């Protein structure tokens, strides 16, 4: 039982789980905002389109009529059977707005991640940042400078690895052949 609670504690305290929880809460709040916008503003505008004897984008399947205060015959929407196309259109609008905003949020997050990857995950230390700022570099230029430095270090390390790499049998045999050819001439 202790092992179970220990594993559960590790799971809960990971950053990913906390990020997921925050994302879900923000997503729920944002969905409420979009739903209010769509139902409160867009839906009345779309339902104002007249269709047949009933106002709104609906298809009446089984109308039920009642009498109003003046004795006129009117459709009782609470007891009638109908298809509400306005609700369907609003669900689509709701989805598109939510998807658009999520796309913009994810695009911003990916942009931040790409900048962090350019830095190689390392942060600029205060001294280097101050030196680069003194040279008149902005943040983007600093990131590019650090990325170039990192690429240069990686290229040097690769060149050193190639230089220290032991020769293969084929390379040794090729060199011997070249020596033998030069001696025969």
């Amino acid at each position: 039982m202790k092992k179970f609670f220990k594993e559960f504690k590790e799971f809960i305290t990971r950053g990913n789980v906390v990020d997921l929880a925050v994302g879900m809460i923000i997503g729920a709040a944002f969905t409420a905002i979009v739903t209010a916008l769509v139902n409160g503003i867009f839906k009345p505008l779309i339902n104002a389109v007249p269709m047949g004897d009933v106002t709104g984008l609906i298809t009446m399947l089984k109308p039920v009529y009642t009498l109003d205060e003046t004795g006129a015959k009117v459709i009782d929407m609470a007891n009638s059977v109908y298809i509400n196309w306005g609700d369907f259109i609003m669900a689509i609008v709701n989805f598109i707005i939510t998807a658009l905003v999520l796309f913009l949020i994810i695009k911003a997050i990916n942009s931040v991640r790409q900048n962090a990857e350019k830095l190689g995950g390392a942060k600029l230390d205060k001294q280097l940042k101050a030196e680069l700022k003194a040279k008149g570099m902005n943040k983007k230029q600093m990131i590019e400078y650090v990325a170039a430095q990192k690429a240069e270090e990686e290229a040097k390390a690769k060149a050193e690895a190639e230089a220290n790499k032991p020769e293969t049998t084929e390379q040794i045999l090729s060199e011997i052949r070249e020596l033998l050819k030069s001696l025969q001439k």
Side-chain angles (χ1 to χ4, degrees):
M1 198 65 159
K2 281 185 176 182
K3 184 179 177 184
F4 173 78
F5 283 115
K6 182 180 177 187
E7 289 176 8
F8 182 68
K9 180 182 174 188
E10 288 174 11
F11 172 76
I12 291 296
T13 56
R14 282 189 203 152
N16 294 348
V17 174
V18 174
D19 293 343
L20 179 63
V22 169
M24 288 183 68
I25 292 168
I26 290 173
F30 179 72
T31 301
I33 292 169
V34 172
T35 302
L37 171 73
V38 169
N39 289 338
I41 297 173
F42 295 149
K43 186 176 180 179
L45 295 174
I46 289 179
N47 277 339
V49 176
M51 291 191 64
D53 61 344
V54 179
T55 302
L57 293 174
I58 63 169
T59 301
M60 192 60 65
L61 300 175
K62 182 181 172 196
V64 174
Y65 296 96
T66 61
L67 299 175
D68 67 1
E69 302 86 34
T70 62
K73 188 177 174 184
V74 294
I75 295 177
D76 181 9
M77 295 299 286
N79 294 317
S80 296
V81 178
Y82 58 94
I83 299 172
N84 190 339
W85 296 105
D87 282 347
F88 178 69
I89 293 169
M90 288 306 98
I92 293 171
V93 171
N94 195 346
F95 170 77
I96 291 171
I97 292 172
T98 303
L100 176 67
V101 171
L102 288 176
F103 169 76
L104 294 174
I105 290 170
I106 290 171
K107 187 173 180 174
I109 289 170
N110 286 340
S111 174
V112 169
R113 282 187 180 158
Q114 285 174 346
N115 286 338
E117 286 174 5
K118 285 181 183 177
L119 281 173
K123 295 181 180 176
L124 292 172
D125 65 348
K126 290 181 181 179
Q127 182 181 1
L128 178 60
K129 192 173 183 178
E131 290 174 14
L132 297 177
K133 209 171 202 175
K135 290 181 180 180
M137 291 187 182
N138 62 25
K139 194 168 189 171
K140 184 178 179 183
Q141 291 169 330
M142 289 180 195
I143 290 170
E144 291 170 355
Y145 174 80
V146 171
Q149 293 294 325
K150 184 179 178 191
E152 187 178 314
E153 289 172 11
E154 288 174 357
K156 283 181 185 178
K158 189 175 181 181
E160 286 179 16
E162 286 291 322
N164 295 333
K165 188 177 178 182
E167 291 183 297
T168 64
T169 307
E170 287 186 35
Q171 290 172 333
I172 294 171
L173 288 173
S174 175
E175 288 178 17
I176 292 172
R177 286 185 196 116
E178 293 294 321
L179 282 170
L180 289 173
K181 284 180 185 177
S182 67
L183 291 174
Q184 288 177 351
K185 292 181 184 180

